[in-house]
């Protein structure tokens, strides 16, 4: 490889037919890995994919309709190098988020 050439660290693609339930199982496993974060493992035939999943990610959802089919792509991106650790945001609806919202509202009231 010459200096200046770039190379991807890793690329994994899997194309196969799935039943609706198999697709749901894959999404459920991915959701569990995302929720857990840190070092996650996804069971994918024929093996296991291990990933480091940070607290914050970029996302993109794309839907294309054409040629008699619908294509749905869900993409998540994050840097391969660990980033500075920042306090993770609390999901809306949790006790901490509700408490903070209440405190802010209380300070605005005369």
């Amino acid at each position: 490889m010459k200096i200046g050439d770039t190379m991807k660290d890793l690329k994994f693609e899997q194309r196969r037919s799935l039943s609706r339930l198999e697709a749901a199982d894959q999404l459920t496993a991915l959701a569990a890995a995302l929720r857990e974060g840190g070092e996650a493992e996804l069971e994918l035939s024929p093996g296991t994919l291990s990933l480091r999943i940070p607290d914050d990610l970029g996302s993109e959802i794309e839907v294309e309709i054409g040629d008699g089919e619908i294509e749905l792509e869900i993409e998540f991106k994050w840097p391969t190098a660990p980033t500075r650790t920042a306090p993770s945001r609390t999901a809306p609806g949790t006790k901490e988020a509700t408490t903070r919202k209440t405190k802010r509202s209380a300070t605005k009231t005369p």
Side-chain angles (χ1 to χ4, degrees):
M1 182 155 79
K2 296 179 186 176
I3 296 175
D5 286 352
T6 59
M7 183 175 120
K8 290 189 179 228
D9 293 328
L10 169 73
K11 182 171 182 172
F12 173 86
E13 261 187 45
Q14 183 181 63
R15 294 176 189 258
R16 64 185 180 116
S17 293
L18 300 172
S19 71
R20 182 176 45 82
L21 293 176
E22 288 170 323
D25 287 344
Q26 276 195 349
L27 289 173
T28 299
L30 177 59
L34 287 169
R35 186 170 304 285
E36 186 68 28
E39 297 295 324
E41 291 189 349
L42 295 170
E43 296 293 327
L44 299 172
S45 297
T48 302
L49 179 63
S50 297
L51 297 169
R52 178 196 56 81
I53 302 176
D55 289 336
D56 296 304
L57 341 148
S59 70
E60 179 180 336
I61 297 176
E62 184 177 327
V63 177
E64 292 181 29
I65 302 171
D67 298 328
E69 64 181 20
I70 298 172
E71 181 177 339
L72 169 65
E73 291 184 23
I74 302 171
E75 180 176 291
F76 296 104
K77 286 186 178 183
W78 61 88
T80 55
T83 56
R84 180 176 63 85
T85 306
S88 60
R89 293 172 275 191
T90 304
T94 63
K95 184 176 181 179
E96 185 177 327
T98 305
T99 304
R100 279 188 280 169
K101 189 181 274 184
T102 304
K103 286 179 183 175
R104 273 189 246 140
S105 298
T107 57
K108 290 181 183 178
T109 305

